[in-house]
Amino acid sequence: MRTRIHGARLFDGEHIRGITDVVVEDGVVAAVGTEAGGRADAEVDGRGGTLLPGLIDAHTHVFDGSLAEALRYGITTEIDMFCLPRPLARHRRLAADRDDVADLRSAGTIATAPGGHPTQLIAALTGTVLDPDDVTEIDTVTDPARAPGFVAARLAEGSDFLKVVIDDGTAHGTDLPAMTPEAATALTAAAHDAGLRVVAHAITASEAAIALDAGVDGLAHVWADVPPEDPASRRLARRVREQGVFVVTTLAYFEAIDGGQPDTAGCAHPGHYANAVGALRALHRAGVPLLAGTDATPFAPSHGSGLHRELALLTGAGGLRAEEALAAATSAVADRFGLGDRGRVAPGLRADLLLVDGDPTRDVSALENVTAVWRRGVRQPR
């Protein structure tokens, strides 16, 4: 099946390419622009709209139904930051076998201290959105000498990267056992030796500093405990940039908990949205690679629509240009997570595509006007 998308404005994942044609064949982009002529089995009228790569949410938690909901909004890949082994195997089979759900990459089982975050959430969710049959005991880490074995177990489970939890509960208004800096450093080194990227869950500036000391590749959140315009945020942002670390934004998460929405434990608690925005602005000014992510769950933010909200916050409170925000949800995520087959519209890459009415490179709210979504070249019914 050879499909030509005609006359749409193209954002290729990095740049605005103007009005052009794109041909899709056998699940990939076959041609762009002047090379997009010749025979086509189907024509899609893209005039007045914008074609862009399928969006990638860089921080989610996948539950049953999440991947289908994400795809409805043009999110063709989700980066799952923690999923228990049994449901993860189910989600992987679904994404591999079907094109009516988003694809995913996952950390699988995360590295945390015994009794540490998010074990309290698992207990709260068991019997609601978590089937008790899916809940297994989480492998935890205290001894740095266990790090290589822990990483080997994650590789055996099929983890695509390692997530390390550095969280003493301060940001949640609780007191939780926290991973030691020595264990975080050992886990990061073992993961790198095994060829895995390492992303750290850290909510406060001091936790982020521990993650940077450990040598992680990315932070799963902006920090949210430092007041806006505090010089401490600027200093930490410069250090993040100097170490080449990326940061997943998750402003939608902080907005949700500040607004009294329940978190993944089903409990509302005071949030730090203004502080998170301040950290985001400091990171942006410092030139840190930013990846758009939501921390989507079955609660708030939602899968799919949550990423649209995230991009609105990035271009509003966060100060990013629309083009920068779109790159943060496409090519930037693909680059940092090693997804070389997606995140851009170019010949030979996966035909994960989103067509919207309007111009999101000027106003990201146009993403709400989804006209068509393709996943591996398969157009989804609307």
Side-chain angles (χ1 to χ4, degrees), residues 289-323:
L290 298 174
L291 312 187
T294 61
D295 205 353
T297 68
F299 303 104
S302 299
H303 289 263
S305 62
L307 188 58
H308 292 189
R309 180 58 183 165
E310 184 72 24
L311 296 178
L313 294 174
L314 290 178
T315 56
L320 276 68
R321 293 182 292 108
E323 194 174 350

Side-chain angles (χ1 to χ4, degrees), residues 120-136:
Q120 82 281 15
L121 305 183
I122 294 172
L125 294 176
T126 300
T128 58
V129 295
L130 279 178
D131 189 319
D133 291 339
D134 287 337
V135 177
T136 57

Side-chain angles (χ1 to χ4, degrees), residues 38-382:
R39 175 192 60 82
D41 301 302
E43 294 273 356
V44 175
D45 186 358
R47 288 175 296 180
T50 302
L51 185 71
L52 57 157
L55 303 178
I56 307 174
D57 190 331
H59 186 148
T60 72
H61 297 281
V62 175
F63 291 76
D64 290 336
S66 299
L67 296 177
E69 183 70 4
L71 192 63
R72 288 183 55 237
Y73 291 87
I75 289 78
T76 52
T77 303
E78 292 205 330
I79 306 296
D80 173 79
M81 288 283 177
F82 166 51
C83 191
L84 292 163
R86 188 175 297 170
L88 178 57
R90 185 166 66 243
H91 301 319
R92 285 192 189 281
R93 287 194 300 270
L94 187 70
D97 294 345
R98 293 171 54 173
D99 286 314
D100 58 351
V101 299
D103 198 8
L104 84 159
R105 297 292 184 273
S106 180
T109 301
I110 57 177
T112 192
H117 181 79
T119 58
Q120 82 281 15
L121 305 183
I122 294 172
L125 294 176
T126 300
T128 58
V129 295
L130 279 178
D131 189 319
D133 291 339
D134 287 337
V135 177
T136 57
E137 185 176 352
I138 294 181
D139 191 6
T140 56
V141 184
T142 52
D143 182 0
R146 282 203 60 235
F150 182 93
V151 171
R154 304 292 73 76
L155 285 170
E157 288 177 357
S159 294
D160 298 295
F161 58 97
L162 181 69
K163 185 180 177 187
V164 176
V165 175
I166 303 171
D167 187 340
D168 63 9
T170 299
H172 313 282
T174 59
D175 184 14
L176 294 173
M179 180 176 294
T180 66
E182 294 77 14
T185 299
L187 282 161
T188 301
H192 286 165
D193 287 345
L196 293 181
R197 294 169 178 81
V198 180
V199 179
H201 167 101
I203 300 292
T204 68
S206 61
E207 292 164 354
I210 292 170
L212 294 173
D213 289 342
V216 303
D217 302 289
L219 299 176
H221 298 275
V222 296
W223 52 89
D225 64 325
V226 179
E229 302 304 326
D230 190 309
S233 264
R234 294 196 292 272
R235 289 193 296 270
L236 187 55
R238 287 194 296 269
R239 185 182 173 196
V240 174
R241 180 201 62 208
E242 290 163 1
Q243 291 189 210
V245 170
F246 66 81
V247 178
V248 185
T249 56
T250 65
L251 290 186
Y253 165 75
F254 291 109
E255 179 191 51
I257 61 174
D258 254 19
Q261 295 297 318
D263 64 12
T264 49
C267 303
H269 58 81
H272 306 282
Y273 175 69
N275 294 343
V277 170
L280 186 282
R281 284 181 167 271
L283 290 160
H284 185 223
R285 286 193 295 264
V288 171
L290 298 174
L291 312 187
T294 61
D295 205 353
T297 68
F299 303 104
S302 299
H303 289 263
S305 62
L307 188 58
H308 292 189
R309 180 58 183 165
E310 184 72 24
L311 296 178
L313 294 174
L314 290 178
T315 56
L320 276 68
R321 293 182 292 108
E323 194 174 350
E324 292 176 313
L326 293 173
T330 53
S331 59
V333 190
D335 290 347
R336 290 292 172 156
F337 280 92
L339 304 177
D341 63 344
R342 67 196 73 186
R344 292 175 173 81
V345 181
L349 299 189
R350 279 173 59 119
D352 288 354
L353 303 169
L354 171 61
L355 180 65
V356 301
D357 186 21
D359 186 359
T361 67
R362 292 182 179 272
D363 182 352
V364 295
S365 68
L367 293 172
E368 298 173 8
N369 307 317
V370 175
T371 301
V373 178
W374 290 263
R375 197 248 181 174
R376 284 195 299 206
V378 177
R379 185 174 181 176
Q380 304 302 308
R382 302 294 303 167

